[in-house]
Amino acid sequence: MSAGQRRIFSGIQPTGRKHLGNYIGAIRQYVEGQEASDETAGEVAIYCIVDLHAVTVAYDPAELRERVHDTTAILIAAGLDPERCVLFRQGDVREHTELCWLLGGVTAWGDLNRMHQWKTKREQIEQQTGAFVSAGLFNYPILQAADVLAYRATEVPVGDDQRQHIELMREIARRFNERFGETLVVPEHRIPGVGARIMDLQDPTSKMSTTAGGESGRVYVLEEPDGIRKKFRSAVTDSGREVRRAGPGGGKEGIENLIEILCVVRGIGPEQVEAEFEGSGYGDFKAAVGDAVAEYLAPVRERYAALRADPAELERTLAAGAEKAAALAAPVLADVRDAMGVAAPR
Ligand code: AMP
Ligand code: TRP
């Protein structure tokens, strides 16, 4: 890899319950990143299903394997082409766990303790009976830093909720380079201008989330069109009647969220949405957004069904991806070991 060359990396949790927020905030950008990478210039887009992150909270081992297959099939159905990008399972590439440990030496305990995701997850778990908060949950952002830094990635497409984790990985890379010499690349986040924070349909002041909020507030990528339309028809709005943005504090978060979703799905701007639905009332607008999203996701759901039916092929795809990933990460780890003076010299 030569200086200034673009390299994209992102990770995604294994689950079949990927929602519209994941799709619009992240998965859509993965496909764009793949399309934008110039293979002939040695550019590459790397996407990782993070099973090692999944073990930081309560889970079932057999189920985890299934959920990795679900996510793999969703990503391919959404347009990732394993021939053109590197698509793999984190646990298959040992470099991630090794680098995670090594980066622990240049990560501040206090920084980990400030992470919003750590604080909210920890609180969520502590409210459950038999709560067990793992050390892994605390160290989660170090593994995430290792994911990206092991490839000297330059860009990380994510939704807005990952901003703080990316800031931390930049800090970790900078501290490593200061302490041990220029070895790692300090990556930039790529958070989309529109759709980086899709809100819960029932509580538009909270982000759409896999764990928080109720079923009626989130729309799944794999959901049947009728279910999708129903959820949009009952989306919470406000007591007004104009399909128009009001800005922060304007009390129109529900409508703004729907406008944003329609913008992404149709590839148009908010002014166009406002003009089109001028005087139409909320009922018609919500129905139109529901129709548009149902239509947008239908082909993904159809392709998914065919891909998910062949787990052996998904395993072959992941194995081939892991081989390509390991070949990229191994030389970086060799440089890291050398810089840090651990293990036998090369
Ligand atoms: P996860 O399923 O937690 O691995 O998240 C996968 C990606 O989806 C990450 O890049 C998140 O930032 C992004 N994401 C999660 N929730 C939302 C949301 N409500 N709106 C936009 N992006 C999101
Ligand atoms: N923590 C991310 C999330 O919850 C997933 C993730 C793991 C990730 N490793 C990553 C994202 C590396 C970007 C880069 O969404």
Side-chain angles (χ1 to χ4, degrees), residues 9-13 50 53 90 117 140 144 147-148 156-158 162 165-166 169:
F9 184 101
S10 198
I12 187 164
Q13 291 272 357
V50 296
H53 277 109
Q90 190 186 32
Q117 190 169 302
Y140 181 115
Q144 182 165 349
D147 292 341
V148 175
V156 189
V158 283
Q162 293 301 312
H165 283 159
I166 308 294
M169 74 175 66

Side-chain angles (χ1 to χ4, degrees), residues 18-222:
K18 287 294 161 207
H19 54 68
L20 187 64
N22 300 135
Y23 197 88
I24 289 179
I27 297 173
R28 185 174 60 105
Q29 332 297 325
Y30 300 173
V31 179
E32 274 174 24
Q34 167 189 277
E35 303 303 318
S37 295
D38 182 354
E39 262 177 290
T40 54
E43 291 178 350
V44 58
I46 308 165
Y47 303 112
C48 174
I49 298 157
V50 296
D51 58 343
L52 299 173
H53 277 109
V55 308
T56 60
V57 292
Y59 78 102
D60 176 73
E63 171 111 349
L64 177 57
R65 292 249 164 84
E66 297 297 317
R67 298 298 78 87
V68 169
H69 288 172
D70 293 349
T71 305
T72 309
I74 289 177
L75 293 177
I76 300 172
L80 287 189
D81 174 356
E83 299 290 322
R84 292 188 54 198
C85 68
V86 178
L87 177 62
F88 74 106
R89 170 173 45 205
Q90 190 186 32
D92 287 332
V93 180
R94 303 298 152 100
E95 279 76 5
H96 293 244
T97 40
E98 184 186 353
L99 187 57
C100 176
W101 178 259
L102 295 172
L103 294 178
V106 288
T107 305
W109 181 91
D111 284 346
L112 292 175
N113 206 32
R114 281 192 300 103
M115 293 293 115
H116 307 307
Q117 190 169 302
W118 154 247
K119 288 197 270 193
T120 47
K121 277 266 152 100
R122 175 189 175 168
E123 267 167 37
Q124 271 172 22
I125 295 172
E126 280 171 350
Q127 278 158 14
Q128 293 156 10
T129 44
F132 175 78
V133 178
S134 72
L137 193 66
F138 185 68
N139 289 327
Y140 181 115
I142 315 180
L143 180 60
Q144 182 165 349
D147 292 341
V148 175
L149 303 182
Y151 297 89
R152 292 194 173 115
T154 58
E155 271 178 56
V156 189
V158 283
D160 185 67
D161 61 354
Q162 293 301 312
R163 198 180 282 274
Q164 201 186 24
H165 283 159
I166 308 294
E167 204 35 68
L168 178 61
M169 74 175 66
R170 288 168 55 82
E171 180 58 26
I172 292 173
R174 280 193 293 257
R175 200 172 289 130
F176 187 102
N177 289 343
E178 257 168 48
R179 170 87 176 78
F180 301 112
E182 283 301 314
T183 310
L184 299 173
V185 169
V186 181
E188 310 268 345
H189 65 64
R190 198 151 53 82
I191 295 174
V194 182
R197 192 172 169 83
I198 298 300
M199 307 309 269
D200 186 292
L201 297 184
Q202 289 298 314
D203 171 13
T205 59
S206 301
K207 68 167 183 175
M208 191 178 284
S209 154
T210 318
T211 48
E215 285 294 317
S216 48
R218 59 181 162 255
V219 162
Y220 295 107
V221 174
L222 300 176

